[in-house]
Amino acid sequence: GAVVSQHPSRVICKSGTSVKIECRSLDFQATTMFWYRQFPKQSLMLMATSNEGSKATYEQGVEKDKFLINHASLTLSTLTVTSAHPEDSSFYICSARDRGRLYEQFFGPGTRLTVL
Amino acid sequence: GQQVMQIPQYQHVQEGEDFTTYCNSSTTLSNIQWYKQRPGGHPVFLIQLVKSGEVKKQKRLTFQFGEAKKNSSLHITATQTTDVGTYFCAGPSNFGNEKLTFGTGTRLTIIP
């Protein structure tokens, strides 16, 4: 149980285009989802917290208009990188909390974004 | 803001040797979690410690939460090649908060 999927797993796009990443909890309801960014050989940096039916809470320094987050249902959250540039290239990982388990986060497999 | 540091940053060990990573938080934590990330993979939850001084074991892995609830350690006995990866500790950003601050991580490589 507690499986989280992410799509796509890998995307290459041209500078200036927008990319949407989906995060789904497959077998549980996720009241809260988190979006992280990870640079090579570095730790996970929290970008935003997404709660179903409400606006996402962004961490300091993360541009809301750049990284649009929508949490439309208890099983789906999306991250849209708008007008992507090469510096946005990174590994984006989502995680979800099962309302039945207080602290544990279940991570998706990640999306590797490369902006040319 | 809260900082969670881990040492060492890298550790290379001979297969069969023991390995320990240490985690230190700048603030008191309500709980500490440990995750493992294999190369090219995503973090996988290992364990959560809640009580001061708590020690938990999972086969060859021993996790400890400090008395002051600001530090933790993960010890692996007799490492195997399957232990390769980066080990992260993580604690709530604020006491009781659901957001996690991840440690800097310790990358373990095994020499066969």
Side-chain angles (χ1 to χ4, degrees), chain A residues 31-32 34 36 38 40-44 46 49 51 57-59 91 93 97 102-110 112, chain B residues 9-10 30-31 33 35 37 40-45 48 50 88 92-93 96-105 107:
Chain A
T31 51
T32 306
F34 304 89
Y36 294 86
Q38 187 177 34
K41 300 182 181 180
Q42 293 190 22
S43 186
L44 287 80
L46 180 65
T49 303
N51 291 294
T57 303
Y58 291 82
E59 295 300 299
F91 191 49
I93 314 176
R97 279 186 56 216
L102 283 180
Y103 297 112
E104 184 177 345
Q105 290 188 21
F106 300 95
F107 283 83
R112 189 161 301 282
Chain B
Q9 188 177 3
Y10 301 96
S30 59
N31 69 88
Q33 301 177 34
Y35 292 81
Q37 184 176 23
H42 60 280
V44 174
F45 176 81
Q48 177 190 289
V50 180
F88 293 100
S93 299
N97 197 308
E98 60 182 1
K99 297 192 302 183
L100 291 177
T101 298
F102 276 78
T104 48
R107 174 173 293 194

Side-chain angles (χ1 to χ4, degrees), chain B:
Chain B
Q2 181 193 46
Q3 292 187 348
V4 182
M5 305 296 293
Q6 284 181 251
I7 55 171
Q9 188 177 3
Y10 301 96
Q11 184 79 61
H12 311 285
V13 300
Q14 201 83 32
E15 186 175 9
E17 291 182 342
D18 293 354
F19 159 78
T20 304
T21 172
Y22 300 91
C23 171
N24 289 284
S25 170
S26 59
T27 59
T28 303
L29 302 170
S30 59
N31 69 88
I32 188 89
Q33 301 177 34
W34 284 91
Y35 292 81
K36 176 184 178 181
Q37 184 176 23
R38 293 180 181 273
H42 60 280
V44 174
F45 176 81
L46 293 177
I47 207 163
Q48 177 190 289
L49 304 171
V50 180
K51 299 177 183 177
S52 169
E54 187 172 12
V55 177
K56 285 188 176 181
K57 291 189 176 185
Q58 288 180 351
K59 297 182 179 179
R60 295 179 293 104
L61 278 61
T62 302
F63 304 83
Q64 189 168 10
F65 201 8
E67 294 289 341
K69 303 183 78 172
K70 293 181 70 173
N71 57 73
S72 181
S73 65
L74 158 59
H75 179 83
I76 302 178
T77 304
T79 55
Q80 300 175 0
T81 54
T82 53
D83 296 325
V84 165
T86 301
Y87 293 85
F88 293 100
C89 62
S93 299
N94 291 298
F95 202 90
N97 197 308
E98 60 182 1
K99 297 192 302 183
L100 291 177
T101 298
F102 276 78
T104 48
T106 297
R107 174 173 293 194
L108 172 64
T109 56
I110 307 289
I111 306 167

Side-chain angles (χ1 to χ4, degrees), chain A residues 13-33:
Chain A
C13 68
K14 293 182 179 180
S15 185
T17 60
S18 294
V19 176
K20 179 185 280 188
I21 303 170
E22 290 187 350
C23 177
R24 294 180 185 273
S25 56
L26 298 185
D27 51 4
F28 66 98
Q29 292 186 330
T31 51
T32 306
M33 289 185 170

